[in-house]
Amino acid sequence: QWNLVCDNDWKGPLSTSLFFVGVLLGSFISGQLSDKFGRKNVLFATLAMQTGFSFIQVFSISWEMFSVFFVLVGMGQISNYVAAFVLGTEILGKSIRVLFCTLGVCIFYAFGYMLLPLFAYFIRDWRMLLLALTLPGLLCIPLWWVIPESPRWLISQGRFQEAEDIIRKAAKTNGVTAPDVILDPSELQDLNSQKQQTYTILDLMKTRNILTITIMSVILWMIISVGYFGLSLDTPNLHGDVYVNCFLSAVIEVPAYIISWLLLRNLPRRYSMAAALFLGGCVLLFIQLVPSHIRALSILLVMLGKFGITSAFSMVYVYTAELYPTVVRNMGVGASSMASRLGSILSPYFVYLGAYDRYLPYILMGSLTVLSGILTLFLPESYGMPLPDTIEQMLLVKGLEYRPASGSTRDSKEEEENPEIFKSTAF
């Protein structure tokens, strides 16, 4: 419509990259806004932001206008996703929390992904399609009166009565008799007033061990993100019906999430991640060897590659969180997630390379994925190990020698003498 062909064909992938730039910016500010204004407030404010700016996009009169609002939509999208994820983990019980964080969030994401080609098949005009994908956001309005604020956040803000009211309401709903005193304000005030040591992003480079883990995690997240979004965005270029291919790309994510959940529960992290990455990378490299007339086999290999990379993507969140100590875990996962956003910004250009050579995107993504699988094997194993609380308690990268500080020696002795105390910190 805006002459995005020939000399202007670079604007297509740039539009997608600009959306991911918005996601990158949203990742920067969403956590800080959520900590300051509350999980629920930020969740619904950014839902309104995503829905509102998507609606304005429908009436775009130029590519520039569309792209600017695409950045704002990306900021709203990631912010409400993060706020919803944090809110769910903080208000749900432990047994449901694990299910929510793995299968709950991921599979419903896949269901939404499946609806996209279904809508697009029946609505061919892009403005009407965008409108149809935007209006369901209005269905979230009644949830304001259903979803509570996080009691943990309310307590951190000193709003103890509000937190207690939410807990009592939950107890009543679940048929549980709440004690007379749930929160003791005096004790909580003392807890909040305790001076705690502050940590900065520089602590991710404090020792050679944590620096190595940080570098490896950043590379790993970036490559996995390039592979995941690259394959997702490349489905229109596959042989066959574009709508069917996009639907298959969404369907394959459901078993990928289920398999990754089972692997996380029962097998070591390193080998599970490496196996998923080797599977995804190798089949992408094999695509160039498939004869051009066997189109079904090419599509099957792409979907198998998507299966492997999606499984690795869902596992890397848990694995990274287990590698970093409590004092910098949020920053460690955040830094890795930022690398993932950079990978997603680059992914449209990997797809764009297909205009010069059809197999070039698969060769590059396959090679990088296999290399990331090899890199994973050098990370320390966290399965069945207690979560580290301090930088000195972190597991060592393979091949690195590290002399613990005196404080960490004491921690090790305490762990030997009281193994049950440390075992209880593992989730």
Side-chain angles (χ1 to χ4, degrees), residues 96-321:
I96 303 298
R97 187 187 308 142
V98 175
L99 212 57
F100 169 80
C101 294
T102 53
L103 296 186
V105 172
C106 295
I107 286 186
F108 278 91
Y109 170 86
F111 286 159
Y113 189 177
M114 289 180 209
L115 289 175
L116 173 62
L118 187 65
F119 274 59
Y121 181 80
F122 292 104
I123 307 172
R124 300 302 175 97
D125 179 73
W126 73 265
R127 293 183 190 272
M128 291 299 101
L129 174 60
L130 185 56
L131 183 62
L133 296 172
T134 298
L135 290 179
L138 299 176
L139 298 176
C140 296
I141 294 175
L143 295 178
W144 174 267
W145 291 275
V146 178
I147 298 175
E149 180 56 272
S150 165
R152 291 176 183 270
W153 180 79
L154 290 170
I155 291 171
S156 71
Q157 301 297 306
R159 295 158 63 177
F160 306 122
Q161 188 57 51
E162 293 176 59
E164 186 166 322
D165 291 342
I166 292 172
I167 295 170
R168 289 192 183 281
K169 184 178 179 181
K172 183 179 179 181
T173 303
N174 293 324
V176 177
T177 303
D180 294 334
V181 178
I182 297 177
L183 305 172
D184 187 338
S186 59
E187 291 182 6
L188 291 169
Q189 288 283 14
D190 291 340
L191 185 65
N192 287 337
S193 63
Q194 286 179 3
K195 186 177 179 180
Q196 297 181 348
Q197 182 180 354
T198 56
Y199 290 84
T200 67
I201 195 74
L202 295 177
D203 286 292
L204 297 180
M205 299 173 277
K206 189 174 183 179
T207 67
R208 192 166 58 140
N209 187 54
I210 193 172
L211 174 61
T212 305
I213 288 178
T214 299
I215 293 172
M216 293 169 74
S217 296
V218 164
I219 294 171
L220 192 61
W221 279 65
M222 186 179 294
I223 292 175
I224 292 175
S225 182
V226 166
Y228 175 81
F229 288 104
L231 291 177
S232 298
L233 296 171
D234 191 54
T235 48
N237 301 324
L238 296 175
H239 298 296
D241 188 275
V242 61
Y243 302 99
V244 173
N245 290 339
C246 188
F247 183 75
L248 290 175
S249 180
V251 169
I252 200 66
E253 295 199 5
V254 175
Y257 293 134
I258 294 173
I259 289 294
S260 61
W261 176 61
L262 293 172
L263 290 174
L264 287 172
R265 286 188 60 185
N266 302 298
L267 293 173
R269 311 289 192 239
R270 269 192 315 143
Y271 299 123
S272 299
M273 278 275 297
L277 290 168
F278 282 136
L279 171 65
C282 290
V283 295
L284 291 180
L285 291 173
F286 287 148
I287 291 174
Q288 60 184 315
L289 305 177
V290 178
S292 58
H293 63 279
I294 312 179
R295 296 177 176 179
L297 182 57
S298 295
I299 294 173
L300 176 64
L301 290 177
V302 171
M303 296 307 160
L304 199 56
K306 179 79 181 293
F307 172 87
I309 293 174
T310 302
S311 299
F313 211 167
S314 60
M315 286 189 281
V316 75
Y317 278 87
V318 176
Y319 192 18
T320 306

Side-chain angles (χ1 to χ4, degrees), residues 16 56 58 82 115 121 171 223 229 265 310 324 403 411:
T16 310
I56 296 174
V58 174
V82 171
L115 289 175
Y121 181 80
I223 292 175
F229 288 104
R265 286 188 60 185
T310 302
Y324 282 103
R403 180 176 295 175
D411 291 337

